Amino acid sequence: MGVRRRAVLVAAGAVAVSAVAVVGALGLGGGDGPDSGGPDSGRGDRTVRVTRGTLVDETAVDGTLDHGPEVPFEARAEGTVTWLPQAEKTITRGGTLLRVDEKPVVLMYGNLPMYRELAVGRDPDRPLRGLDVKQFESNLAMLGYSGFTVDDTYSQLTADAVKRWQKDLGRPRTGKVGIGDIAYVSGPIRIARTSVRVGAQATGTVLSYTSTARSVTVEAPAGETGWAERGNRVTVELPGGHTVKGRVAEIGQNASPAQGDGGGDGGAGGGGGEGDAAKNAKVPVLIRISDQEALGRLNSTPVTVRYVGRKRENVLTVPVAALVALAEGGHGLELADGDGTDGAGGSGGEKGSRFVAVKTGLFANGKVEVSGPAVREGMKVRIPE
């Protein structure tokens, strides 16, 4: 992944005479017929018109559509794993992640980890308080349990609701919530894989999960991530040519060596070592897609991500093939017969030929931005032979 494909036909404004001639010979720019003035007129036409429009420098990079990066889950319950979910199973709030000694470890939504036991304190004047209490009570209420106030205090009323919840789970009705009884994630998850077998001890990473929504991951070269600012819009081209809109959601903080780069001392032949590894390092860019239905059943498939590098609106443009190299330096356009310039900026050439100097701007999609005192919209110019 990460192969970068430019849509721009010429990478810089200063094009050598030979380069301009080659572009003209290739016939870039289309062919709407002589004097048509069509925006894609090219080498096959004798004349084209200067048009006004928008130029977009678009870049395409390779990506992969899947469920995003896998997140490891470490069990904190003590005992033996007695049940594990199947891969690709979706688990939502209140669902069971696994069973330890036949007791369920329950999924809840939240950002705070479960870092202490929740229980009614021995001193009624000093109840257990905290944001973690409120987070748990919010989940309990969302699961349909009531009779308590959702706040930051773990009261006896909270404990009574917990006992009803524990009864429904088949757990001992203690009114206490242990560290290993629940696990918090930000939302619904999809089981990616399990790391242990039933019968193993519930220690370390027991499974990994992903988001339930599909997203696109681009392994971008570390030095080419300027486009990947959070919130930036991109277009994702799916197999078959259908496109969907996406937004940059996350940019990896750590670059990793490209596949096949090694990372050692370069081996026999003395490669570039660390210098080459740094040069070829990749940074993962995660792109969210809001319209999940538009993806159909696609998963684990290569896609193309297109983003706008530069954009020039309301500028004068001609096909790149219309550029000519002037003897005095720079670039110009050859006027078609009968199209005058009121004497502004014209220069001599062959008998019957007239040229106007132009300043080139953005090159994109076979066109080039042109400007100058003698250039106007609708002007008819020749394609060089």
Side-chain angles (χ1 to χ4, degrees):
M1 293 192 301
V3 178
R4 195 166 184 267
R5 304 193 300 277
R6 299 287 294 183
V8 180
L9 294 182
V10 182
V15 184
V17 175
S18 59
V20 174
V22 169
V23 172
L26 289 175
L28 300 175
D32 290 340
D35 298 70
S36 66
D40 292 322
S41 299
R43 179 64 181 89
D45 299 325
R46 294 294 299 170
T47 61
V48 293
R49 292 186 182 275
V50 177
T51 59
R52 185 176 296 279
T54 299
L55 279 184
V56 177
D57 174 5
E58 187 179 69
T59 300
V61 293
D62 295 332
T64 299
L65 175 71
D66 54 24
H67 284 273
E70 294 185 10
V71 180
F73 171 74
E74 294 189 7
R76 304 185 67 184
E78 296 182 357
T80 302
V81 175
T82 54
W83 178 86
L84 288 167
Q86 294 293 320
E88 299 189 9
K89 179 180 175 62
T90 297
I91 300 179
T92 59
R93 186 191 341 245
T96 300
L97 275 171
L98 72 156
R99 287 181 176 271
V100 178
D101 293 345
E102 277 302 279
K103 298 174 184 177
V105 177
V106 179
L107 182 74
M108 298 284 196
Y109 297 167
N111 296 318
L112 276 176
M114 187 69 176
Y115 64 92
R116 61 177 176 173
E117 181 183 77
L118 302 181
V120 176
R122 293 181 179 179
D123 186 349
D125 294 328
R126 300 182 62 184
L128 186 67
R129 298 178 184 273
L131 292 177
D132 58 332
V133 174
K134 186 173 183 179
Q135 178 175 268
F136 171 74
E137 289 184 343
S138 296
N139 277 273
L140 200 59
M142 290 299 294
L143 289 173
Y145 296 91
S146 59
F148 61 96
T149 301
V150 176
D151 54 20
D152 63 355
T153 302
Y154 198 95
S155 65
Q156 185 59 52
L157 294 177
T158 304
D160 292 340
V162 168
K163 290 179 181 179
R164 296 194 294 274
W165 172 61
Q166 290 172 328
K167 178 182 178 181
D168 293 339
L169 290 175
R171 296 184 66 101
R173 299 176 62 189
T174 64
K176 302 177 182 180
V177 185
I179 292 178
D181 294 347
I182 61 177
Y184 287 108
V185 294
S186 59
I189 63 172
R190 168 185 169 273
I191 300 299
R193 69 186 73 223
T194 55
S195 306
V196 299
R197 296 181 179 181
V198 171
Q201 289 298 299
T203 57
T205 300
V206 296
L207 57 83
S208 60
Y209 62 88
T210 68
S211 169
T212 56
R214 286 161 292 175
S215 57
V216 173
T217 302
V218 172
E219 295 292 340
E224 300 179 12
T225 57
W227 61 274
E229 294 185 7
R230 185 169 297 179
N232 280 2
R233 296 181 180 182
V234 299
T235 299
V236 178
E237 183 178 328
L238 305 174
H242 181 62
T243 61
V244 295
K245 299 297 182 182
R247 287 182 181 270
V248 176
E250 298 177 21
I251 304 95
Q253 298 298 314
N254 298 317
S256 60
Q259 291 184 357
D261 285 344
D265 57 7
E274 294 182 0
D276 285 345
K279 182 179 179 181
N280 297 321
K282 305 291 183 180
V283 174
V285 178
L286 186 67
I287 297 169
R288 301 287 189 197
I289 298 174
S290 58
D291 189 359
Q292 292 285 301
E293 292 185 1
L295 299 175
R297 295 185 178 182
L298 291 174
N299 190 33
S300 298
T301 186
V303 296
T304 298
V305 176
R306 302 184 185 278
Y307 63 88
V308 174
R310 291 184 296 167
K311 185 177 183 180
R312 295 281 291 159
E313 297 181 341
N314 196 32
V315 295
L316 297 176
T317 68
V318 295
V320 175
L323 284 181
V324 295
L326 300 178
E328 60 269 31
H331 298 93
L333 300 173
E334 180 182 359
L335 300 179
D337 294 338
D339 201 325
T341 61
D342 298 327
S347 62
E350 301 175 9
K351 185 177 180 180
S353 297
R354 299 181 62 193
F355 298 84
V356 292
V358 296
K359 180 180 179 181
T360 58
L362 178 62
F363 287 75
N365 299 322
K367 299 180 184 179
V368 58
E369 174 190 356
V370 292
S371 59
V375 186
R376 56 180 172 77
E377 183 179 359
M379 176 184 290
K380 194 158 49 175
V381 298
R382 288 188 178 280
I383 299 294
E385 291 292 346

